[in-house]
């Protein structure tokens, strides 16, 4: 299992609450609006900033799997791992975005707080702040997180094939629910779709562009595990090419290394940690993020 750096861009549409005001408020006055609980876990959001970025840390504390020891007093938290790290999952998600263009990356490991859940919590908080300041939020005032996709990278991968026989994609909630509406399986947490297109030729640029645009939209919709299967100009056997490793990621880490990097760090000292410095450097220097 890996920790992925999913490239994203934040969008805020409101003349009464800019993204800068929204995050300044969360850094200075956050009162747990985005936090939530379920039967076996509690999720808490922490907001920080430095000279050129905003940072959000999401802590998931599970009752049934106490992999991380630490006391959350509301002011600080210490990651303290114990036992065999290779069999543990650090349920810690991190968003790092540039103050310049509100683009960056969401660090997430499989099984933790997914990007669509993270987005929905911040969207609700965005509206709560508007209601608190102006009694109500308007329908045209919106907050969203857009996945950034490198079209050129997808095109290069697709161009390796001369024909496509199959497109595979895995959808997760809430996109799964929309596609399985009125089905007895509509509560499924994921849905794998196989589209057999049968010798779809990619010899022309127009056809390659058509497939590239379609795959790009799949990534942006939150689809994961996307791959295409076909034949290359020099190969007779079928070849499978991955379009996204779980998500469109600009970088990834082995989760055991990620956990070890968090071990012993205090929340109040996180911005001075090597993990944050290295992650921020990779994110803000990424061309996809800089061009957003």
């Amino acid at each position: 299992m890996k920790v992925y750096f999913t490239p994203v861009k934040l969008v805020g549409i409101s003349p009464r609450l800019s993204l800068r005001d929204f995050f300044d408020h969360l850094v200075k006055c956050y009162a747990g609006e985005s936090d939530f609980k379920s039967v076996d876990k509690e999720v808490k959001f922490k907001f920080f900033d430095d000279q050129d970025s905003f940072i959000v840390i999401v802590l998931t504390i599970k009752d049934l799997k106490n992999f991380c020891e630490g006391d959350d007093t509301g002011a600080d938290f210490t990651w303290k791992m114990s036992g065999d790290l290779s069999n543990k999952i650090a349920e810690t998600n991190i968003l790092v975005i540039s103050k310049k263009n509100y683009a960056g990356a969401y660090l997430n490991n499989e099984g933790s707080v997914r990007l669509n859940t993270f987005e929905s919590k911040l969207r609700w908080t965005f509206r709560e702040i508007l209601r608190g300041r102006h009694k109500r939020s308007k329908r045209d005032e919106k907050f969203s997180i857009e996945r950034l996709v490198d079209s050129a990278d997808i095109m290069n991968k697709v161009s390796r094939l001369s024909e496509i026989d199959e497109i595979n994609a895995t959808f997760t909630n809430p996109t799964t629910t929309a596609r399985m509406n009125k089905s007895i399986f509509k509560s499924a947490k994921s849905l794998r779709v196989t589209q057999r297109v049968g010798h779809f030729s990619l010899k022309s640029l127009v056809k390659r562009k058509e497939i590239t645009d379609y795959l790009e939209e799949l990534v942006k919709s939150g689809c994961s595990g996307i791959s295409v299967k076909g034949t290359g100009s020099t190969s007779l056997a079928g070849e499978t090419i991955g379009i996204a490793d779980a998500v469109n990621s600009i970088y990834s880490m082995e989760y055991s290394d990620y956990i070890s990097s968090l071990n012993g760090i205090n929340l109040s000292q996180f911005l001075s940690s090597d993990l944050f410095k290295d992650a921020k450097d990779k994110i803000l220097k990424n061309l996809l993020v800089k061009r957003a």
Side-chain angles (χ1 to χ4, degrees), residues 8 17 35 86 161 217 232 239 242 244 281:
V8 296
L17 181 63
D35 298 356
S86 64
L161 301 174
E217 285 305 311
E239 179 183 5
D281 183 66

Side-chain angles (χ1 to χ4, degrees), residues 241-260:
I241 297 177
I243 301 301
D245 293 323
V247 286
N248 185 54
S249 183
I250 59 176
Y251 186 75
S252 65
M253 295 177 62
E254 293 296 332
Y255 73 85
S256 57
D257 295 334
Y258 181 66
I259 295 171
S260 299

Side-chain angles (χ1 to χ4, degrees), residues 137-153:
S137 62
K138 300 177 181 179
R139 288 187 177 182
D140 59 352
E141 292 179 310
K142 299 178 181 179
F143 173 89
S144 63
I145 298 178
E146 298 178 352
R147 287 174 171 81
L148 299 176
V149 183
D150 190 340
S151 302
D153 180 57

Side-chain angles (χ1 to χ4, degrees), residues 270-283:
F270 178 79
L271 299 191
S272 62
S273 68
D274 290 338
L275 173 63
F276 172 71
K277 291 177 181 178
D278 292 343
K280 178 183 172 181
D281 183 66
K282 289 180 172 65
I283 292 167

Side-chain angles (χ1 to χ4, degrees), residues 8 52-54 96-105 283-284 289:
V8 296
D52 50 10
S53 62
F54 285 111
V96 180
I97 56 168
S98 168
K99 288 182 176 179
K100 183 178 180 180
N101 63 355
Y102 296 96
I283 292 167
L284 298 189
V289 171

Side-chain angles (χ1 to χ4, degrees), residues 22 25-37 43-47 120-130 132:
F22 177 51
H25 175 89
L26 293 174
V27 169
K28 299 172 184 176
C29 309
Y30 181 67
E33 292 90 343
S34 296
D35 298 356
F36 64 97
K37 293 182 179 181
V43 179
K44 296 185 177 183
F45 287 66
K46 309 292 181 181
F47 297 88
S120 68
K121 297 302 177 183
L122 287 188
R123 183 188 303 117
W124 186 86
T125 303
F126 188 81
R127 290 192 173 278
E128 279 296 287
I129 293 175
L130 280 169

